[in-house]
Amino acid sequence: MRALTRIFYVVLLAFLPVPGAFASGIGPHELETGISQWFSTGNGTFAPYYMMSNRFGAVTQRNTYLTGITVGEHLHPSKRFQWSWGVETSFAAQSSARYGLYDKEAEEWTGHKVTPRWFWLQQAFVSVQYRSVFLTAGLKETGSALLSDELSSGDLTWGANARPMPGVRIGLEHFVDVPYTKKWLQVDVNVFIGKPQDDYWLKRHYNYYNYFITTGRWNSYRRLYFRVAPLEKLSVTLGMQAATQICGTQRMYKDGNMIETVRSPFDFDSFVNMLIPRQGDDYYVGNHLGSWDMMARYRLPSGKVLKVYFQWPWEDGSGIGKKNGLDGLWGLEYQSARRSFISGAVIEYLDFTNQSGPLHWDPEDNTGTSLKGEATGADDYYNNYYYNGYAYLGMSQGTPFLRSPIYNTDGYMRFTDTRVKGVHMAVKGYLTNNLGYRVMASWRKSYGDGYIPRVRTVEAVCWMAECDYDLGGLGIVLLKAQVGMDSGRMFGNNFGAGLGLKIRL
């Protein structure tokens, strides 16, 4: 599969359109190129929380030197049919982290240093669009459709925390009016099918001692939102997101010995089960999770906007039925109508401690039992009995507020802290027309998870401050300075600083 992926990238790059090649009769092209530099350093194993979160997985280590080169072409929406393409390459020199590793021959723990790769394709895609319907193939960064990736703690189902994975996405480019509703109702639909390419990452970070490692999985993502009264002062958006991990090969280890291998090949039935959950012998096939989402937006006469929103996570039927108490993300966002000292602000409360109760019991899962009662709890968000966790290349595909598996230097490939609650705050604005700033801070407390609770709770206080300077005021040369710090036992005591330069050619 890795060989096929390389061939796909080669073909994609080989057939990228020559700038302006098909402009006639379609619409005016605009070629964009750029180069970026980033250097950061710190005193911990990893970069401080806010310096590595919601950056599409580009920066994770304590010391990072990153060069990015981008080139792409898109059309102005002057025609019904349009296409676009883009490539972003990343060259990096990053510090290593030491992960636990069990040596079966020596029957002892050795540990080993793991260093991220020095080159990768961050983005490489081709997209075709007719009116509002689009089809995209390849790697493309796509963050939250509801929340601010710049200010929010992160979307619970599909955010900006992990690197993009290769796949195909089809849907509506934006909210579209539903016919015969006189612009009172709009709809947004998205479907993504992808093949994660992180088997090598899992094999290099796993401890090969206990629990399991699952490789060769497939992913999908679906979204359906409805927006009511979009032209009025008060507008409401409501809908659901759903994600699936399916198929793959699980290898179970106990005390350093592989005790079981379970294979789930990908076929047509798997493809259907990925998009439409269907029940197998005991459980629904694959790992299904998502969120119920709602946002109410109020536009003030001055043009300023206030938003109130929530995202309720679900892992199974109990979560879909909202039997998990106050679990979820509850937020308030402010947006200014123009550049000002405070042009945007967010405050969020996050709670994942209910999880539909402390235990799970279903008589249908245990044939022959005389117990007829049912307790559908212990949801254990982002974890599953078959899959490593809802993460890609070690970074949570949903919110980074739940500690991602990349932090598990003992080689455990799942989420260790899923029962978490805390507060996140962020504000951005402009000190001058060319000098912007952003400040983020959070506090959280973790109880571990429902199956492996922590003996003692752990906490973390994280903050980050940055400034962006637009040299010349034309958006061509941008300078960035950033400093961040973590304290507490959840992420450790970390401090880091970074400098960046971005040039649009």
Side-chain angles (χ1 to χ4, degrees):
M1 182 56 67
R2 290 176 61 185
L4 292 176
T5 303
R6 293 192 183 99
I7 294 173
F8 166 77
Y9 289 147
V10 170
V11 173
L12 176 64
L13 293 171
F15 286 92
L16 286 176
V18 177
F22 301 104
S24 177
I26 299 179
H29 286 252
E30 181 176 325
L31 180 67
E32 293 185 353
T33 58
I35 185 170
S36 61
Q37 301 279 326
W38 174 259
F39 171 75
S40 59
T41 186
N43 66 344
T45 301
F46 302 99
Y49 172 78
Y50 278 119
M51 293 181 66
M52 65 184 286
S53 299
N54 290 327
R55 296 183 66 167
F56 292 103
V59 176
T60 60
Q61 306 304 110
R62 173 188 63 197
N63 298 324
T64 298
Y65 177 72
L66 178 67
T67 297
I69 300 174
T70 61
V71 59
E73 195 172 9
H74 68 273
L75 291 170
H76 294 295
S78 59
K79 298 287 184 178
R80 291 184 176 182
F81 175 81
Q82 55 181 312
W83 52 262
S84 62
W85 62 270
V87 176
E88 179 180 357
T89 60
S90 295
F91 302 85
Q94 303 186 69
S95 57
S96 59
R98 189 173 183 83
Y99 283 82
L101 177 66
Y102 185 74
D103 187 337
K104 188 177 184 303
E105 293 184 0
E107 295 186 347
E108 63 179 7
W109 285 86
T110 60
H112 64 141
K113 290 185 177 180
V114 181
T115 305
R117 290 186 169 180
W118 68 273
F119 169 79
W120 67 88
L121 283 175
Q122 182 71 13
Q123 299 191 82
F125 66 89
V126 173
S127 184
V128 178
Q129 182 174 332
Y130 178 73
R131 291 190 172 182
S132 298
V133 180
F134 75 91
L135 173 66
T136 299
L139 293 164
K140 186 176 183 181
E141 294 178 349
T142 53
S144 174
L146 191 70
L147 309 183
S148 168
D149 291 327
E150 191 177 17
L151 293 177
S152 172
S153 60
D155 194 289
L156 297 192
T157 306
W158 191 275
N161 193 53
R163 283 191 208 167
M165 68 176 63
V168 176
R169 182 181 294 267
I170 187 171
L172 300 177
E173 183 66 24
H174 47 72
F175 278 89
V176 174
D177 295 332
V178 176
Y180 308 110
T181 63
K182 298 181 179 180
K183 299 185 180 298
W184 185 82
L185 180 64
Q186 294 181 329
V187 64
D188 173 49
V189 180
N190 248 246
V191 176
F192 171 80
I193 299 173
K195 184 68 175 69
Q197 300 298 306
D198 62 349
D199 287 356
Y200 77 94
W201 190 96
L202 294 167
K203 293 175 181 178
R204 293 171 69 205
H205 291 75
Y206 180 56
N207 57 39
Y208 294 92
Y209 184 75
N210 267 344
Y211 303 104
F212 58 83
I213 177 174
T214 302
T215 57
R217 72 191 186 281
W218 286 74
N219 272 44
S220 75
Y221 167 80
R222 290 91 69 205
R223 178 178 77 237
L224 176 61
Y225 283 160
F226 292 98
R227 178 181 290 171
V228 179
L231 302 180
E232 303 299 325
K233 292 183 178 179
L234 178 62
S235 176
V236 176
T237 301
L238 180 65
M240 175 187 276
Q241 298 182 87
T244 302
Q245 297 171 303
I246 202 166
C247 298
T249 300
Q250 183 195 69
R251 294 174 176 85
M252 181 74 70
Y253 286 77
K254 182 178 181 181
D255 299 331
N257 297 305
M258 189 171 67
I259 60 174
E260 186 180 17
T261 299
V262 180
R263 291 182 172 85
S264 177
F266 188 79
D267 52 22
F268 179 76
D269 286 341
S270 302
F271 178 80
V272 175
N273 292 335
M274 181 169 57
L275 299 177
I276 305 174
R278 294 189 300 174
Q279 193 164 1
D281 295 335
D282 297 315
Y283 302 96
Y284 279 85
V285 179
N287 177 31
H288 300 270
L289 65 137
S291 60
W292 285 107
D293 302 342
M294 190 279 284
M295 173 178 284
R297 183 267 299 155
Y298 185 77
R299 186 183 298 112
L300 300 172
S302 62
K304 298 176 181 178
V305 173
L306 294 176
K307 297 179 181 179
V308 179
Y309 54 88
F310 65 71
Q311 289 191 314
W312 292 341
W314 55 265
E315 284 276 348
D316 54 29
S318 58
I320 292 179
K322 196 48 184 166
K323 297 180 181 179
N324 53 2
L326 291 176
D327 279 6
L329 181 156
W330 310 77
L332 174 65
E333 180 181 354
Y334 161 81
Q335 293 179 351
S336 175
R338 60 184 184 276
R339 287 191 175 188
S340 59
F341 180 68
I342 299 179
S343 59
V346 159
I347 182 169
E348 297 174 339
Y349 172 70
L350 299 99
D351 198 330
F352 307 97
T353 58
N354 185 286
Q355 308 224 8
S356 302
L359 58 89
H360 177 84
W361 170 264
D362 191 337
E364 294 184 2
D365 298 339
N366 302 272
T367 57
T369 180
S370 60
L371 299 176
K372 303 301 181 184
E374 181 177 345
T376 55
D379 287 347
D380 200 12
Y381 302 141
Y382 292 1
N383 282 330
N384 182 264
Y385 76 99
Y386 190 83
Y387 297 95
N388 302 109
Y390 186 57
Y392 183 51
L393 293 167
M395 299 291 282
S396 168
Q397 289 180 246
T399 177
F401 209 80
L402 301 183
R403 188 172 177 267
S404 295
I406 194 174
Y407 289 102
N408 301 340
T409 54
D410 60 356
Y412 180 67
M413 291 292 95
R414 307 208 309 161
F415 286 79
T416 58
D417 294 273
T418 62
R419 295 184 63 237
V420 176
K421 64 180 178 181
V423 177
H424 162 86
M425 296 175 289
V427 61
K428 69 174 182 177
Y430 292 88
L431 303 176
T432 68
N433 287 335
N434 294 355
L435 181 61
Y437 76 92
R438 183 169 60 124
V439 178
M440 309 179 82
S442 64
W443 166 85
R444 75 205 73 194
K445 183 176 184 178
S446 172
Y447 302 83
D449 67 38
Y451 296 92
I452 310 177
R454 286 187 176 269
V455 176
R456 291 189 302 165
T457 59
V458 295
E459 299 185 15
V461 175
C462 309
W463 63 264
M464 182 274 293
E466 72 174 22
C467 285
D468 292 279
Y469 185 70
D470 184 355
L471 189 63
L474 300 176
I476 297 176
V477 180
L478 300 175
L479 302 174
K480 181 191 292 288
Q482 193 175 81
V483 62
M485 189 173 75
D486 306 331
S487 62
R489 295 178 59 237
M490 189 170 180
F491 297 109
N493 297 319
N494 308 311
F495 178 83
L499 294 172
L501 170 65
K502 187 173 183 179
I503 302 174
R504 182 166 58 88
L505 304 176

